[in-house]
Amino acid sequence: MSTAIGLSTPVLAPLLPISGTFALPFSAYFTLLSYRVVHYRLKDKQYLGDNSSKDGDPNNKLYLATRCHQNFIENVPLGLTLAAFAELNGGNRRVLTAALSALLTFRILHVELGLLNGTGIGRPIGYWGTFGTIASLGVYAAYLVKGYWGL
């Protein structure tokens, strides 16, 4: 499926429908995490930094919101990139949908049942689940192109 634009330049159909589908839930959750950081910045009148050294409180809301946001930023882009690599190289749609669903679930567990509750059960589940999902996506993406290397 391609369409001509301009001087008959072909444009392919959507190349990343699975990764593209997950753009909405990942960006929606990212927006929520960003909102929380801004909310606590305004509430604490701390416009720069996370005031983590302000009183040494491990339950500092701004610090926790900042860490939740940073953890998301540290992991999700790599997971989405690996899924896109796999998808572009013919990865199975069900496998990729399951992997990205799992990644989103693990990131939400890590924050909502983990970091925001101190040492909640969601933290180790979210961490190890994210770790396993990203590692699996990397292996899967490499497996899909093994023929290129003569393997």
Side-chain angles (χ1 to χ4, degrees):
M1 270 172 63
S2 65
T3 320
I5 60 171
L7 299 172
S8 71
T9 305
V11 177
L12 299 174
L15 294 176
L16 300 168
I18 305 302
S19 302
T21 299
F22 280 89
L24 177 62
F26 278 111
S27 63
Y29 193 61
F30 174 82
T31 302
L32 172 65
L33 295 175
S34 297
Y35 168 78
R36 287 178 179 165
V37 171
V38 171
H39 170 75
Y40 289 118
R41 280 191 190 287
L42 295 173
K43 185 177 178 185
D44 292 356
K45 295 183 178 164
Q46 181 74 35
Y47 305 112
L48 186 62
D50 61 20
N51 77 4
S52 59
S53 61
K54 186 167 134 180
D55 54 13
D57 180 12
N59 295 315
N60 179 312
K61 299 281 189 192
L62 176 56
Y63 177 72
L64 290 175
T66 302
R67 287 305 310 145
C68 293
H69 187 253
Q70 289 170 342
N71 284 168
F72 188 88
I73 291 170
E74 291 166 359
N75 291 285
V76 171
L78 178 59
L80 281 171
T81 301
L82 292 171
F85 289 160
E87 191 170 4
L88 286 170
N89 286 295
N92 182 288
R93 289 181 177 194
R94 287 190 175 133
V95 170
L96 292 171
T97 298
L100 289 175
S101 296
L103 181 62
L104 180 62
T105 301
F106 289 134
R107 294 322 305 157
I108 292 172
L109 285 172
H110 187 260
V111 171
E112 305 301 328
L113 299 178
L115 287 175
L116 295 181
N117 296 314
T119 57
I121 189 67
R123 191 170 184 190
I125 292 171
Y127 170 78
W128 288 109
T130 298
F131 182 86
T133 303
I134 288 176
S136 297
L137 281 168
V139 169
Y140 186 51
Y143 170 78
L144 292 170
V145 297
K146 69 182 185 315
Y148 178 80
W149 300 103
L151 301 173

